[in-house]
Amino acid sequence: MSNLTRHRLFWPAAVLVLLLASNVFFAPRFFTITLQDGHLYGSLIDILRSATPLALVALGMTMVIATGGIDLSLGSIMAISGALACLIIGDLPNQNSVGGVLIAVGVALVLSALLGVWNGVLVSVIGIQPIIATLILMVAGRGIAQLITDGQIINVTSAPYRVIGAGYLLGIPVSVIIVAVVVAAAMLLVRRSALGVLIESVGASPTASRLAGIRARGLTITVYVFAAFCAGIAGLIFSSNVASADSNAAGNLIELDAILAVVIGGTALTGGRFSIAGSVLGAVLISALDITTYTIGVPAETTLLFKAVVVVVLCLSQSAAFRAAVFRRRAAVPATPAAEVSA
Amino acid sequence: MIDISAPPQPETAAVTPRRRRGLDRRHIPVLATLGLLAFMYGLGVANYDNFSDAQVFLNIFVDNAFLLVVAAGMTFVILTGGIDLSVGAVVALTTVLAATLLDAGWPAAVVLPLVLLMGTSMGLGMGAVIHYFKVEPFIATLAGMFLARGLALLINRNSIPITDPFWTAMAQERIRFAPGIFISTSVVIALVVVLIGAYVLAYTRFGRTVYAIGGNADSALLMGLPVGRTRIAVYTVSGFCSSLGGVLLSFYMLSGYSLHAQGMELDAIAAVVIGGTILTGGSGYLLGTVLGVMVLGMIQTIIAFQGDLSSWWTKIVIGVLLFAFIVLQRLVTRRTS
């Protein structure tokens, strides 16, 4: 089983290495990491830093997808979280007060979690399809974020807030540390306790889980709250990094990139099995793709085409029907008949 | 899903088939949308001067003809229980491709069929991937979305004006009913598409198969219905409608731009849902989708008349309406099943 997991992550990892290696031809100093003023600098650090919001959103998305759901509202939650934090900080008499920034961060994260409760209740209590339930907040959420900022881009000059997205601790970017802590905590929680198995069980079959005595409803809500909380942190990192709240740009379509990262990481969209490490790897891969197109000097737009190709290749490689078709041609063995009759 | 806690209910089962299958229940969401539309219109007429002008009402169609066509295609997909995330991107790609080719001097008579063919074949491709390789519609059309938007950006990342005589004629042509009361040719095209779509859904074998797949794909297959062919066909229809919507948008904007129609897939899905089509498929009407588009247009009109309301209220109101209609559908379907 662990062999299989390793195999699952092998290809994404190989693609990542290949992608990074290809940069050397265009930027010889690509792998150089230098220490300036006690801060680490280099392209690899840039890739990690720019991957942080996506890695967080992908982490939450992994849990949601593991329960057989999907959360389209995470980008909007990012925008709301960043907007609210910047609004509160902007109103502080002294933007540099650490206490005020902590309150702003706390309020933003609490609101994000509440939005997660809303999603979770719609999905598990009212019983709406996840994709539709979260679509509501995806559409309305950006409007709410614009309402909070009054349609403006709020700029903040708070030094303590800047630390979250652009600061360094022991030479390492603070945002990377935050993500590492959250990912480690999530991994410990789901893999060192029964929580992960319970989540997978709900994803595999909610009805069977309920009959087996698992409180699927509470678990589902928890998962959406966790995802929204992660998106909230991602929103703070994003807005802190650009020192402003931009309701339109923050987290725009990040949920789709996150789903892509999760799929790259080998988590099946049907739920029931998940890989946190895979999703984080997927997020780093997407970030590396962005940075690589930048280094190579290809127009940034083409990353979309690359992503499309990656999605298609990954999905086809995961598709049993596709593998069966290829296998049949190769080995000329009568494969199992296709489930559906093409008329 | 099996609900073991609920005992079988002979009372409802005993109701005569006509009542059971009756018009009432399936029409509730559509009637609710109609009621909402009437209420919003009444609200507008009561609060704002000139809101009752016929042209105000017709402008909803003039300004949303492209969305109407795109949402009509989306209705087919959603009726089978699928989803198409690529529509906005295909619309953008169509406008860019049309504008680029026209700019290069290609005649409109060649460009028009070509861009329609492009959208149709993209839909066909996505449908084939979904059917043959069992890729989830969400992911397959997501890939289509990245692909179409990426291609559009690759072709040209700037806005390209369209000066072709046919295009400008189509943009400026007005069908006048009375002085100051008119619709554009795009509205006529959109209404023709809707009528054909509604006929196909209601009276043809294909239409009934679409409903059957949405009701239960496995049963439809066991019944011997051409599930695979129909499933591919609905994505093809959606692809065609997206590119036709793109053509109508390029009439409306007289430009091709890779960032056109951002988020249109959400508007289209919202229109379909508000129009009463059930997202798990199998139930809904194209007429409902038309009403859904009109509701979205009415929200924008009211916000424009109010003047001091900002555009982001549109998104919030659409979200609230989505919520209300999804819960309504949930209640209606729960009672019937």
Side-chain angles (χ1 to χ4, degrees), chain B residues 52-269:
Chain B
S52 56
D53 287 3
Q55 192 52 41
V56 172
F57 189 75
L58 290 180
N59 273 344
I60 291 178
F61 286 95
V62 173
D63 296 336
N64 290 293
F66 48 91
L67 180 60
L68 194 55
V69 174
V70 172
M74 183 71 88
T75 311
F76 276 81
V77 174
I78 289 181
L79 277 176
T80 64
I83 198 151
D84 190 347
L85 293 181
S86 71
V87 292
V90 174
V91 165
L93 176 59
T94 309
T95 66
V96 171
L97 194 61
T100 307
L101 293 179
L102 291 171
D103 199 40
W106 291 42
V110 177
V111 172
L112 193 61
L114 202 66
V115 292
L116 292 178
L117 187 68
M118 182 275 305
T120 313
S121 41
M122 272 204 75
L124 179 70
M126 285 184 283
V129 167
I130 289 165
H131 171 62
Y132 288 113
F133 302 135
K134 308 277 177 296
V135 176
E136 282 196 51
F138 186 90
I139 290 297
T141 56
L142 178 64
M145 174 193 189
F146 285 148
L147 187 71
R149 198 66 83 171
L151 282 175
L153 280 159
L154 200 63
I155 293 173
N156 199 329
R157 60 171 107 173
N158 299 316
S159 179
I160 317 153
I162 298 177
T163 51
D164 178 81
F166 174 73
W167 245 259
T168 43
M170 288 299 278
Q172 285 155 4
E173 181 68 34
R174 294 283 179 266
I175 295 147
R176 297 179 189 280
F177 302 110
I181 297 178
F182 60 84
I183 52 173
S184 59
T185 41
S186 297
V187 177
V188 179
I189 296 173
L191 290 179
V192 168
V193 169
V194 166
L195 286 177
I196 295 173
Y199 174 81
V200 167
L201 278 180
Y203 297 111
T204 66
R205 226 179 144 132
F206 173 72
R208 261 168 243 179
T209 313
V210 167
Y211 280 102
I213 293 176
N216 189 332
D218 293 334
S219 308
L221 192 67
L222 292 175
M223 275 193 278
L225 294 173
V227 171
R229 197 172 61 193
T230 310
R231 191 170 270 153
I232 295 175
V234 292
Y235 289 94
T236 313
V237 166
S238 178
F240 171 78
C241 286
S242 304
S243 51
L244 183 59
V247 170
L248 297 189
L249 185 68
S250 63
F251 288 159
Y252 187 74
M253 299 276 199
L254 276 183
S255 70
Y257 189 26
S258 51
L259 297 181
H260 272 331
Q262 278 210 316
M264 190 190 261
E265 47 281 331
L266 298 179
D267 284 342
I269 294 170

Side-chain angles (χ1 to χ4, degrees), chain B residues 35-53:
Chain B
L36 177 75
L37 198 61
F39 171 74
M40 289 169 73
Y41 190 69
L43 203 70
V45 171
N47 283 321
Y48 313 110
D49 295 337
N50 304 328
F51 196 90
S52 56
D53 287 3

Side-chain angles (χ1 to χ4, degrees), chain A residues 32-55:
Chain A
T32 318
I33 293 176
T34 53
L35 196 66
Q36 282 175 13
D37 313 328
H39 299 170
L40 292 173
Y41 284 100
S43 299
L44 293 181
I45 304 289
D46 284 346
I47 289 176
L48 282 183
R49 266 191 59 186
S50 74
T52 49
L54 181 58

Side-chain angles (χ1 to χ4, degrees), chain A residues 42-256:
Chain A
S43 299
L44 293 181
I45 304 289
D46 284 346
I47 289 176
L48 282 183
R49 266 191 59 186
S50 74
T52 49
L54 181 58
L56 277 173
V57 175
L59 170 65
M61 188 71 85
T62 311
M63 296 301 178
V64 172
I65 289 179
T67 64
I70 206 155
D71 193 338
L72 296 182
S73 68
L74 295 177
S76 294
I77 293 177
M78 260 183 81
I80 293 174
S81 155
L84 192 60
C86 288
L87 182 76
I88 296 175
I89 291 171
D91 286 346
L92 286 176
N94 172 19
Q95 292 204 6
N96 288 324
S97 86
V98 176
V101 169
L102 284 180
I103 290 173
V105 167
V107 170
L109 290 182
V110 167
L111 181 69
S112 304
L114 284 177
L115 293 173
V117 173
W118 160 265
N119 280 335
V121 166
L122 286 190
V123 170
S124 73
V125 180
I126 306 186
I128 303 172
Q129 259 183 297
I131 182 173
I132 306 313
T134 54
L135 180 71
I136 297 171
L137 195 55
M138 183 189 191
V139 175
R142 225 157 263 286
I144 295 172
Q146 284 169 323
L147 191 69
I148 292 173
T149 63
D150 207 20
Q152 308 290 315
I153 294 176
I154 301 183
N155 295 303
V156 292
T157 53
S158 164
Y161 190 61
R162 273 291 271 176
V163 169
I164 299 173
Y168 285 83
L169 186 70
L170 302 172
I172 306 167
V174 172
S175 55
V176 174
I177 296 176
I178 293 174
V179 175
V181 168
V182 176
V183 168
M187 275 181 150
L188 273 179
L189 207 60
V190 297
R191 288 307 181 204
R192 292 288 157 203
S193 74
L195 195 62
V197 179
L198 296 184
I199 289 175
E200 293 185 339
S201 146
V202 170
S205 169
T207 316
S209 311
R210 188 166 57 82
L211 295 178
I214 298 172
R215 295 177 57 196
R217 190 170 278 186
L219 210 55
T220 308
I221 297 179
T222 313
V223 161
Y224 281 92
V225 170
F226 175 71
F229 185 77
C230 287
I233 303 177
L236 294 178
I237 291 178
F238 183 86
S239 73
S240 155
N241 198 19
V242 295
S244 65
D246 183 345
S247 307
N248 281 318
N252 190 23
L253 293 184
I254 201 172
E255 48 279 318
L256 299 182

